Structure formats: C-alpha cells, structure tokens
Amino acid sequence: VQIIIAVFIIFLFRQIFLSGAYEFIHETDDWDSTTIEIIRVDGSIDSTHYTTTPYEKAYCEDKITVLALILDKQQFIHDLNNLSSYQPLGEPIECLVGDMIRCTYPDGSIELISSYGAALVSNSEVLVQTKTFDSEVFDQFLSDWILRTSSNN
C-alpha cells in the first residue's frame, strides 16, 4: 500500500509540475528581428557578467562559442514547443554552463535557455526561472539543430 501511495504521489507531482511547451520569459511577436543561436558556455557565467561593466561583458563573450545561428526561427520555436518542460521544486539557478539557446531580442534583452533553467537579462536586471527539460531530450534537440544548420551551409 505504501508503494502504491508513493507512486501515486510521484505521478501527481509530475503532472502538477509538467507545463508542456516552454514559455519564453520575454514575450515577443517579432521573431524576425530576434537573433536565435545555439551557444556553448565554457566555464560558468552568472548575472554579473551581463549586468556590470563592458569589460565583464566582453569577458563573458570570451566564454561563449556560437555553435549555430538559427535562420528558420518559426520551425525552431515550433520544435522547441514540442519539448516538455516542467517546473521542479528547488532553488533557482545561479549560473549557466554548457550548451544552450540564446535569444537576443530587438530591445537588447537576452534570454538564455538551458536544460536546467533559463535567465532573461533586461535593462541590467536578471530574471531567472527554473523551467527545465529532460537533459537528454534537450541535448538531442540542440544537436539536431546544429546538424541541420551546418548541412544548410
């Protein structure tokens, strides 16, 4: 009986915290003017890299390698929306590292989306959310898009 109750509770929590499609922190209808890239961050970056001096921003860029520039933005967003994201319990992320998506919006705001959380930097303020993806599925999604963009060149 205890095992059945535990399984039910796990199932219930998973259903409560599943959100389906990723919801961008920055709302926009202007995807044509938004730059979407898949990037690799070597070494962690935190909010200070995006919110302080130009020197620190340049330092942050030294840690970033652009792996793919997304040109078919509508298809990319459609495919991203087909990945399930969820809101786990726990502390918000404090830094980002690894492969992720970077959206640079027309107003200069930058949204970073990784398998374990996302951050929006806007007007020197950092908004963090802990929406996460299954890391294997997210990494495969990024790999597929990197391959797709490299075959189009």
Side-chain angles (χ1 to χ4, degrees):
V1 173
Q2 291 176 339
I3 293 174
I4 293 172
I5 292 171
V7 169
F8 177 74
I9 290 172
I10 291 170
F11 175 78
L12 182 63
F13 273 109
R14 181 148 174 86
Q15 293 304 312
I16 289 171
F17 295 108
L18 272 177
S19 66
Y22 176 78
E23 295 177 22
F24 288 86
I25 303 170
H26 187 288
E27 295 181 18
T28 187
D29 292 325
D30 189 8
W31 288 109
D32 291 336
S33 300
T34 299
T35 302
I36 302 175
E37 301 162 305
I38 299 173
I39 63 171
R40 174 168 294 141
V41 178
D42 296 317
S44 65
I45 58 174
D46 60 29
S47 61
T48 61
H49 290 105
Y50 276 107
T51 60
T52 55
T53 68
Y55 172 79
E56 288 169 335
K57 289 180 185 178
Y59 172 72
C60 175
E61 288 299 314
D62 288 346
K63 294 183 176 187
I64 295 173
T65 303
V66 176
L67 303 175
L69 174 63
I70 306 303
L71 300 177
D72 190 353
K73 298 169 191 174
Q74 295 301 329
Q75 186 62 50
F76 182 85
I77 293 164
H78 176 267
D79 293 353
L80 179 64
N81 285 337
N82 284 331
L83 301 180
S84 291
S85 64
Y86 60 96
Q87 182 69 47
L89 299 174
E91 296 295 317
I93 57 173
E94 293 184 16
C95 65
L96 294 166
V97 66
D99 294 354
M100 64 194 70
I101 301 164
R102 175 170 63 180
C103 299
T104 305
Y105 297 101
D107 67 0
S109 298
I110 298 170
E111 186 164 353
L112 300 169
I113 306 164
S114 71
S115 64
Y116 54 88
L120 175 71
V121 182
S122 181
N123 298 321
S124 297
E125 292 183 29
V126 179
L127 303 170
V128 176
Q129 72 175 17
T130 53
K131 287 273 177 112
T132 62
F133 297 89
D134 177 291
S135 61
E136 290 179 14
V137 172
F138 188 82
D139 290 345
Q140 186 61 52
F141 168 77
L142 296 182
S143 295
D144 290 347
W145 271 93
I146 291 168
L147 183 62
R148 189 182 305 184
T149 58
S150 66
S151 66
N152 289 339
N153 295 334

